[in-house]
Amino acid sequence: MPGLVTATGVLAFLADEEPELKVFALKTLNEDIDTVWFEVADALTQIEALYEDESFPERQLAALVLAKVYFHLQAYNESMTFALAAGPLFSLDNPGEFEQTIIEKCIDQYIAVGSARHASAKATKADISLPALATTFSSSSFEGSSLISPTAPFSHSTLPSKSLLSRASTDNTILDPTFQPTKDGRSASVAQITDTSTEAALHGVIERLFENTLKEAKYRQVVGIAVEAKDLDVIRRVIKRATEDAKRSKTKTQEGAQGPAEELMEYVLGICMDVVQERGLRTEILRLVLDLLNETPNPDYFAIAKCVVYLNSDGEASTLLRHLVDKGDQNAVTIAYQIAFDLYDNGTQEFLSKVIKALPSGAPPKKAEAEAGEVEAESEPLLQEEPEETLPEETATVFKNIGSILDGSMTIKLNLEFLYRNNRTDLSILNKVRDSLEGRNSIFHTAVTFCNALMNAGTTHDKFFRDNLDWLGKAVNWSKFTATAALGVIHRGNLTQSRKLLEPYLPRQGGVSSGSIFSQGGALYAYGLIHANHGAGALDYLRERFNAADEEVIQHGGALGLGIAGMATGDLDIYDELTKVLFSDSALNGEAVGLAIGLIMLGTGNTKALDTMFTYAHETSHEKIVRGCAIGMALIMFGRQEGADVMIEGLLNDPDPTLRYGGILTVAMAYCGTGSNKAIRKLLHYAVSDVNDDVRRIAVMSLGFILFRKPGSVPRMVELLAESYNPHVRYGSAMALGIACAGTGRDEAIDLLEPMMKDPTDFVRQGALIAMSMILVQQNEVANPKVAAHRKTLRKVVGDRHEDAMTKFGASLALGILDAGGRNCTIGLQTQTGNLNMAGIVGMAVFTQYWYWFPFTHFLSLSFVPTSIIGLDHDLDIPSFKFHCAAKASHFDYPPEQEVKAEEGPALVTTAVLSTTAQAKRRAQKKERQRRESMDIDSTPTITKSASQPPAADKMDVDDDKARTDDAKDKKDGEASGDKDTPASPDSKKKAEKEKLGYEIENMSRVLPGQLKYINFPGGRYRPVKKPTGGPLLLQDTQPDEPKSLIEEKLKKVTTEKAPVAGAAQNLQERQDIRAGQRRINDISQLLQMAQRSSAAAPAAAGSGSGAAAAAGVLTAIDEDGEGDEEAAPPQDFDYFTDAEDEED
């Protein structure tokens, strides 16, 4: 039947009294609405009247016609409302453009309604314990910000319309439904549904849509929509449905492969950690996933551990470990060990100490009490109960091992062994930096110290300091403080030897010490760095020395050491002791103490500490104290997200620029790694509007902390900021790129940094050099060809006498970062399992404060993460075995060491050769050849010219040198031509062959993060308990009864010596130099006597010159003339002869 050409006649039936004719008209219009909708639009009031007439039999048909007309009029909200009223007539099967659009609108509406309901429920259940931290950002501060794209505000590229990050207003419910005011009218993206029938119809459509999707086993699509709508019931239902469908299908999955339910839960975990930005929602989803995992018969224990760490549920963590150990199975114990390593990698010291206390120690109470350290009193009741549990010897050993893993001693020991045995530090680079920078200049001395510390971080390799005691002795005041603290970076993790190592520098008991107060303060700082984030056994000593110190410098170092060692412990006693020193109003101590309080209370959101620091920052007149308090407050709010918003608003509205600086840093710390849209908008707003350069700089830099999980978005975001007229903004852009793209080698980031390395402002060049090294850390020339050019640039900057001091300082730091940890460390702001690396983020944040205080540079070592795979068996031994890497070895090799060129003396001037002389030589050579041809071949030719021409013997040495070099060149050319003529050797064939794909790697070797995807364990004795993620990896031994070969630990054989003391060692060195000088003088006198005897015995042979006489001649030429020495006889006159004269004769 042909379609309608015009709807005029059909529309006339709508006015008829017969309902049958009205129904006929509606059916006819519905079939051809796409062609006549513009005519039907004039009759909308009539059709709406039919829909509202409850006696009309086909109300749903009228609603469907209205929905289609409004769809063509692009009034999508009205169209969706009428489509929902159409009920079953609105078909979801084989949807066309109309159906597809309405389905999308329904999904958006469902998400908006669910999100609004979740937000209102959240408001009613506000956190009573932290009333001041429960609100969100004020939307009034973002006027006009809706015009800017949240992800790429300065880029012309746009995201797809349905992207989470590009939706306007309340569509972006993952971020914050109250973030922007909703639009009204037909242009609104979300309709206002008031009646319950429409809402019920909306849920009916969504349920039908979900059911159709689930029948096709597309579980992820449903889960994604439910997460956006914050509907946890749907998530629970879908996961259970996936489990039931898997049971009904009865399809056996391959051994080791995941089922659909396990894959779905892993997917939920992934989007929960990477996409969901609201902390409260993330917690709810993780709690749901954890409950579901516990209900499954064979749960993913590693996923459970991941949830437990984020939820900070130490009770469930200890229960999980107990459950695995109680199984008594070797594989279960191996999994328990691996989970313990993961818990240590991701948990705070406070969390881990609670887990340790809840588990049996596996040791007698006395030993356990000694290990407990500062928590002796708290753990006493638990230690008394432990003997009541009669544990078998094997089980006790397992719990003891788990305790050693959870307290970090096992991981630290393994990483220390790895860094020591694989150390590839190139000392020639360090020597070059030392020689290029004047040691008497404080900033240059400090730069070399930092370069050495970062290069050797964690390797225990302090040879550079021991070999350069004279240079080390040039350090004065704070340079001495920094140099002493560098020992802590180099020996980080060397827990057992830390006291012995630093003994020459540490303050003595009772405060009596002969050393410099700067060395003593630096030693306490170093002691904290060695025990970083592992305060057990170190905090008591540091507290004692800190409280006993009277000198401000020693208190400064002690506060920094306490903060680093007691990171995130939340210890109120330490907090009280630090607060007392803070109130002494010392500018020198205040900055360090404020930072230390932030480190101790890291991430706790402690309102008492915040209130104290905020109040004191307004009372004090010292800018350094204000800055220390501002940084400390930012650290206390680490990871708090929405809970930090009130503090952020209070700081950002403060007239003091230093406190606004702290407010921006609080945004960075509270929302680090979340990619939060509103945090990015806040930072960009202040980056371009604040009147203070420091605030603008930190605002741009903080983008790197927010987006380091999405490094690809940062270059687009700072693309135009990198070209700002303000050098502070340019510096911030460079550092943001370095922080977010650290270790990735991203080309787009490098392209932005390359022109900044030639910036006219010195500190912008400094930041660009440091950021470039952060990006290129652990990259080689095969993986990224720009590494070689960057190294060359750094060497050039360091050696350029005309370069600015700040740029040279940055180049020295950049060289240290590029070869971090003996070329075995990368910069990791997230752990191997994907959680935030708390110590790494904090270290990077405090490192950026080197702008104000150079000693903070050492904090960068906290973000260094060893890149290794350390395989361990069920006994925690290190077996000797190999695993396979399915990539080319050259892509992940260490960069080649720099070739050390021999020091060349001044170039000798080449003797000028006249054209007549050259012609004469050619004639002589021609004449000689003719003579040889005429003679017998066996006879020895005699050259008369050499005897008859004295000038040939009297030529300068340069001619001989030139002749030798020419001969060598000819020889090389001859060999090269010979190689071309002769067939290639087998070795050259091998080099010419294409590099093989895949190679074997020994256990405890360097494995880069980008290399992990190529790692596999072919069928052998050892198999990993989980997918390799780097670091300690537990292995299942398939042949436990067979003897095993273990890797010998080299570090056990090394005896740690005391740190070199510059002053004492310098005196010893001077005495050794005096003795050596006396020996040299005696040797010289002996040589002179020998020379005199030889010249007296054989005056005729003086021309030939024996070795002793030649040496004596050199030495006497170097030494100054003494009184009474005979003058050397002048040389006899001689004449010049040429070959041309001989030929003329």
Side-chain angles (χ1 to χ4, degrees):
M1 180 178 177
L4 285 178
V5 177
T6 179
T8 307
V10 178
L11 290 173
F13 289 134
L14 296 176
D16 200 282
E17 295 181 357
E18 293 294 331
E20 289 81 2
L21 290 175
K22 294 178 182 177
V23 172
F24 170 77
L26 289 173
K27 287 182 178 178
T28 307
L29 291 173
N30 182 46
E31 292 174 359
D32 296 313
I33 195 70
D34 292 338
T35 56
V36 296
W37 63 268
F38 48 89
E39 295 181 68
V40 181
D42 295 332
L44 281 177
T45 53
Q46 289 179 285
I47 302 174
E48 285 184 9
L50 291 175
Y51 166 69
E52 293 172 358
D53 184 3
E54 294 183 0
S55 62
F56 185 65
E58 292 290 341
R59 292 181 62 204
Q60 292 181 340
L61 181 60
L64 184 61
V65 173
L66 286 170
K68 291 184 178 180
V69 174
Y70 277 118
F71 164 73
H72 285 291
L73 291 172
Q74 296 186 359
Y76 298 123
N77 288 334
E78 289 84 350
S79 178
M80 181 195 70
T81 304
F82 285 113
L84 291 174
L89 294 181
F90 176 60
S91 174
L92 301 180
D93 301 326
N94 302 320
E97 185 180 358
F98 163 70
E99 289 82 3
Q100 188 68 39
T101 304
I102 299 304
I103 287 171
E104 290 177 1
K105 288 299 297 180
C106 288
I107 292 173
D108 288 345
Q109 186 71 31
Y110 167 69
I111 290 171
V113 170
S115 180
R117 188 183 297 114
H118 185 271
S120 60
K122 177 185 169 188
T124 58
K125 292 191 258 181
D127 190 356
I128 301 172
S129 62
L130 294 174
L133 307 175
T135 60
T136 55
F137 280 119
S138 170
S139 59
S140 61
S141 62
F142 292 100
E143 293 179 6
S145 61
S146 59
L147 301 176
I148 303 173
S149 169
T151 53
F154 299 107
S155 176
H156 296 293
S157 61
T158 57
L159 293 170
S161 60
K162 291 299 169 187
S163 167
L164 281 177
L165 295 176
S166 66
R167 292 180 184 168
S169 70
T170 55
D171 283 16
N172 207 340
T173 54
I174 285 288
L175 305 172
D176 188 353
T178 62
F179 178 57
Q180 291 177 329
T182 57
K183 300 176 185 177
D184 296 326
R186 292 189 173 184
S187 62
S189 57
V190 177
Q192 301 298 323
I193 297 179
T194 54
D195 58 320
T196 55
S197 60
T198 306
E199 189 172 346
L202 173 66
H203 282 283
V205 170
I206 294 296
E207 287 298 324
R208 286 160 55 197
L209 179 66
F210 283 173
E211 187 60 33
N212 292 343
T213 308
L214 292 174
K215 284 180 180 176
E216 300 175 5
K218 296 179 179 178
Y219 306 109
R220 293 190 177 190
Q221 285 85 333
V222 179
V223 166
I225 294 172
V227 169
E228 284 200 63
K230 304 177 182 179
D231 194 337
L232 303 185
D233 293 334
V234 173
I235 299 174
R236 182 190 297 273
R237 197 173 74 224
V238 172
I239 293 175
K240 288 186 174 180
R241 171 77 174 267
T243 307
E244 293 170 2
D245 290 350
K247 290 179 182 177
R248 277 199 299 268
S249 63
K250 296 180 181 180
T251 55
K252 293 183 179 180
T253 57
Q254 295 179 359
E255 186 179 353
Q258 291 180 324
E262 288 80 5
E263 287 182 357
L264 188 59
M265 278 193 274
E266 187 176 338
Y267 172 73
V268 173
L269 270 178
I271 61 173
C272 183
M273 302 303 291
D274 298 335
V275 178
V276 177
Q277 297 174 2
E278 186 185 330
R279 180 174 176 145
L281 175 62
R282 186 183 302 174
T283 302
E284 291 179 26
I285 296 175
L286 287 174
R287 172 55 60 187
L288 169 65
V289 172
L290 186 58
D291 294 341
L292 290 171
L293 284 169
N294 288 326
E295 292 173 7
T296 55
N298 296 312
D300 183 355
Y301 293 111
F302 300 109
I304 292 176
K306 195 172 183 179
C307 296
V308 162
V309 170
Y310 186 84
L311 295 171
N312 203 28
S313 177
D314 52 274
E316 293 187 61
S318 57
T319 304
L320 174 63
L321 292 172
R322 275 178 175 271
H323 170 69
L324 287 168
V325 175
D326 290 343
K327 278 188 173 183
D329 183 17
Q330 181 177 306
N331 290 340
V333 171
T334 307
I335 292 173
Y337 286 155
Q338 185 66 64
I339 288 175
F341 276 115
D342 291 348
L343 290 176
Y344 172 74
D345 199 25
N346 298 289
T348 63
Q349 289 193 69
E350 184 182 16
F351 171 82
L352 294 169
S353 64
K354 290 178 181 177
V355 176
I356 292 171
K357 278 186 244 174
L359 293 172
S361 66
K366 289 184 180 178
K367 291 184 181 177
E369 194 172 329
E371 287 174 6
E374 73 268 16
V375 289
E376 239 173 21
E378 294 178 11
S379 56
E380 230 171 8
L382 291 174
L383 295 171
Q384 290 171 2
E385 292 172 9
E386 281 175 13
E388 297 176 8
E389 295 185 43
T390 55
L391 295 175
E393 186 179 348
E394 292 184 5
T395 308
T397 305
V398 171
F399 277 118
K400 185 179 179 182
N401 289 338
I402 288 176
S404 68
I405 295 171
L406 289 174
D407 70 14
S409 54
M410 180 65 69
T411 303
I412 291 171
K413 186 186 81 169
L414 292 171
N415 284 336
L416 200 66
E417 173 69 23
F418 163 73
L419 291 173
Y420 176 78
R421 67 189 298 132
N422 293 286
N423 183 20
R424 296 289 193 283
T425 302
D426 192 349
L427 283 177
S428 64
I429 297 176
L430 270 174
N431 292 330
K432 176 71 174 175
V433 175
R434 179 206 61 205
D435 295 339
S436 301
L437 302 180
E438 175 54 48
R440 296 187 184 279
N441 192 330
S442 177
I443 186 174
F444 290 156
H445 195 286
T446 304
V448 179
T449 299
F450 288 140
C451 184
N452 174 42
L454 297 176
M455 270 192 187
N456 293 290
T459 62
T460 72
H461 190 262
D462 55 8
K463 186 175 184 297
F464 179 79
F465 278 158
R466 298 182 187 277
D467 291 348
N468 294 276
L469 296 175
D470 289 341
W471 170 85
L472 192 60
K474 296 177 183 178
V476 292
N477 297 340
W478 288 105
S479 293
K480 190 174 289 186
F481 178 93
T482 306
T484 312
L487 291 167
V489 177
I490 294 170
H491 290 271
R492 184 189 170 193
N494 196 0
L495 307 178
T496 56
Q497 305 293 326
S498 57
R499 196 81 62 85
K500 178 183 176 183
L501 174 79
L502 296 171
E503 185 182 346
Y505 293 117
L506 286 169
R508 300 285 190 272
Q509 190 73 28
V512 179
S513 179
S514 59
S516 165
I517 58 171
F518 293 96
S519 294
Q520 294 175 49
L524 291 177
Y525 186 12
Y527 196 75
L529 286 165
I530 291 175
H531 293 264
N533 202 20
H534 187 270
L539 285 176
D540 288 340
Y541 176 80
L542 285 167
R543 285 174 64 183
E544 179 189 341
R545 292 291 179 265
F546 175 72
N547 292 326
D550 296 326
E551 296 286 346
E552 292 181 341
V553 177
I554 301 177
Q555 287 181 335
H556 183 96
L560 292 176
L562 264 176
I564 297 171
M567 195 182 295
T569 55
D571 193 314
L572 292 176
D573 294 333
I574 299 177
Y575 164 74
D576 291 337
E577 292 165 3
L578 290 169
T579 308
K580 290 177 185 176
V581 180
L582 178 67
F583 290 155
S584 66
D585 205 43
S586 166
L588 190 60
N589 291 339
E591 188 170 22
V593 170
L595 174 61
I597 292 174
L599 289 169
I600 294 293
M601 294 294 174
L602 181 63
T604 60
N606 189 294
T607 50
K608 178 186 174 184
L610 290 169
D611 185 53
T612 302
M613 297 173 76
F614 188 78
T615 305
Y616 192 71
H618 284 90
E619 292 175 356
T620 184
S621 59
H622 297 293
E623 185 183 348
K624 288 176 75 68
I625 297 179
V626 177
R627 183 177 299 111
C629 291
I631 298 170
M633 287 187 282
L635 296 178
I636 292 174
M637 283 301 183
F638 176 85
R640 303 295 299 181
Q641 297 186 23
E642 296 87 0
D645 290 351
V646 169
M647 177 59 67
I648 290 169
E649 289 301 319
L651 290 171
L652 290 180
N653 293 329
D654 199 281
D656 187 347
T658 307
L659 286 177
R660 292 204 304 277
Y661 183 100
I664 293 295
L665 196 59
T666 307
V667 175
M669 292 294 98
Y671 289 90
C672 60
T674 62
S676 171
N677 191 298
K678 65 180 180 182
I680 293 170
R681 288 173 181 266
K682 178 74 78 174
L683 294 175
L684 290 173
H685 171 70
Y686 277 86
V688 297
S689 64
D690 200 277
V691 295
N692 185 269
D693 284 335
D694 288 350
V695 178
R696 297 181 70 178
R697 184 180 68 248
I698 192 64
V700 182
M701 196 187 305
S702 296
L703 292 170
F705 289 103
I706 304 292
L707 290 166
F708 66 77
R709 279 178 165 163
K710 302 171 185 175
S713 60
V714 179
R716 291 187 297 127
M717 192 169 294
V718 302
E719 185 176 356
L720 290 187
L721 291 174
E723 300 174 4
S724 169
Y725 71 93
N726 190 324
H728 292 267
V729 174
R730 297 201 300 272
Y731 173 89
S733 303
M735 293 300 289
L737 289 168
I739 293 166
C741 304
T744 61
R746 298 189 76 91
D747 291 333
E748 55 268 36
I750 294 172
D751 292 340
L752 284 177
L753 286 172
E754 280 179 336
M756 297 174 76
M757 290 194 292
K758 301 173 184 176
D759 195 274
T761 309
D762 53 358
F763 62 79
V764 177
R765 296 198 299 275
Q766 179 193 77
L769 292 171
I770 293 172
M772 183 73 87
S773 286
M774 288 182 180
I775 294 171
L776 293 176
V777 64
Q778 285 200 322
Q779 302 279 321
N780 61 19
E781 293 181 29
V782 177
N784 196 319
K786 294 187 178 179
V787 175
H790 180 56
R791 287 184 182 274
K792 186 177 180 181
T793 301
L794 294 177
R795 290 196 298 270
K796 181 182 176 184
V797 170
V798 168
D800 188 355
R801 293 183 180 180
H802 304 290
E803 188 60 81
D804 293 312
M806 291 183 71
T807 311
K808 285 187 173 185
F809 179 85
S812 301
L813 258 63
L815 280 168
I817 294 169
L818 206 55
D819 293 337
R823 298 180 173 175
N824 290 302
C825 288
T826 188
I827 295 174
L829 301 188
Q830 56 182 335
T831 62
Q832 305 282 7
T833 53
N835 284 0
L836 297 179
N837 179 9
M838 182 189 68
I841 294 169
V842 170
M844 181 63 75
V846 181
F847 161 72
T848 59
Q849 307 308 309
Y850 81 88
W851 181 278
Y852 303 103
W853 191 233
F854 282 160
F856 287 157
T857 306
H858 286 314
F859 272 81
L860 182 61
S861 63
L862 300 182
S863 63
F864 287 170
V865 179
T867 51
S868 63
I869 285 184
I870 304 173
L872 302 171
D873 63 10
H874 61 278
D875 295 324
L876 296 184
D877 293 325
I878 309 172
S880 177
F881 77 102
K882 293 182 180 180
F883 47 91
H884 186 73
C885 176
K888 294 180 179 179
S890 59
H891 279 77
F892 305 106
D893 265 351
Y894 289 97
E897 290 195 5
Q898 185 180 351
E899 294 182 4
V900 182
K901 294 182 179 178
E903 293 187 4
E904 298 177 357
L908 296 174
V909 181
T910 310
T911 305
V913 180
L914 299 175
S915 58
T916 53
T917 307
Q919 290 176 359
K921 283 185 177 180
R922 284 197 295 274
R923 290 195 203 99
Q925 289 172 359
K926 185 177 179 182
K927 194 172 182 181
E928 184 65 26
R929 282 198 300 272
Q930 292 173 355
R931 187 179 301 149
R932 286 180 182 175
E933 289 173 2
S934 62
M935 293 175 65
D936 188 22
I937 295 175
D938 294 332
S939 62
T940 305
T942 58
I943 302 173
T944 56
K945 282 190 178 182
S946 61
S948 61
Q949 292 181 359
D954 291 333
K955 284 185 180 180
M956 293 175 66
D957 294 339
V958 178
D959 290 341
D960 296 336
D961 295 340
K962 185 183 175 186
R964 283 195 293 270
T965 54
D966 291 341
D967 292 342
K969 285 181 182 177
D970 294 342
K971 187 176 180 181
K972 286 182 182 177
D973 294 339
E975 288 175 358
S977 61
D979 289 344
K980 290 179 182 178
D981 297 335
T982 57
S985 64
D987 292 340
S988 61
K989 280 186 178 179
K990 286 181 182 177
K991 290 178 184 176
E993 285 179 6
K994 191 176 180 181
E995 186 180 1
K996 291 183 179 179
L997 189 67
Y999 62 103
E1000 301 293 321
I1001 303 178
E1002 291 281 351
N1003 188 18
M1004 198 174 260
S1005 296
R1006 186 180 84 154
V1007 177
L1008 304 185
Q1011 192 177 358
L1012 286 170
K1013 58 187 175 183
Y1014 301 107
I1015 297 297
N1016 58 69
F1017 290 75
R1021 178 171 178 175
Y1022 296 102
R1023 290 184 301 178
V1025 296
K1026 69 166 189 174
K1027 186 178 178 181
T1029 54
L1033 180 66
L1034 269 295
L1035 306 166
Q1036 292 177 346
D1037 191 351
T1038 57
Q1039 303 169 9
D1041 300 329
E1042 297 288 329
K1044 56 185 179 183
S1045 60
L1046 304 178
I1047 292 178
E1048 186 180 9
E1049 296 183 36
K1050 294 183 178 180
L1051 202 58
K1052 287 183 178 178
K1053 297 182 178 181
V1054 179
T1055 55
T1056 304
E1057 300 177 6
K1058 293 181 182 180
V1061 181
Q1066 192 174 7
N1067 296 334
L1068 176 64
Q1069 185 71 24
E1070 287 174 358
R1071 290 195 296 271
Q1072 292 175 348
D1073 290 345
I1074 291 171
R1075 294 195 195 99
Q1078 290 174 348
R1079 285 196 299 270
R1080 283 197 296 271
I1081 291 171
N1082 293 335
D1083 293 341
I1084 290 171
S1085 60
Q1086 289 177 6
L1087 288 170
L1088 287 170
Q1089 292 173 3
M1090 291 171 60
Q1092 290 172 359
R1093 284 197 299 270
S1094 60
S1095 59
S1104 60
S1106 64
V1114 170
L1115 291 168
T1116 51
I1118 294 172
D1119 294 339
E1120 295 182 359
D1121 295 337
E1123 293 184 5
D1125 291 345
E1126 294 183 4
E1127 294 291 337
Q1132 296 178 355
D1133 295 335
F1134 58 90
D1135 299 325
Y1136 286 99
F1137 295 92
T1138 63
D1139 293 340
E1141 291 179 2
D1142 190 35
E1143 287 183 5
E1144 288 174 3
D1145 294 341

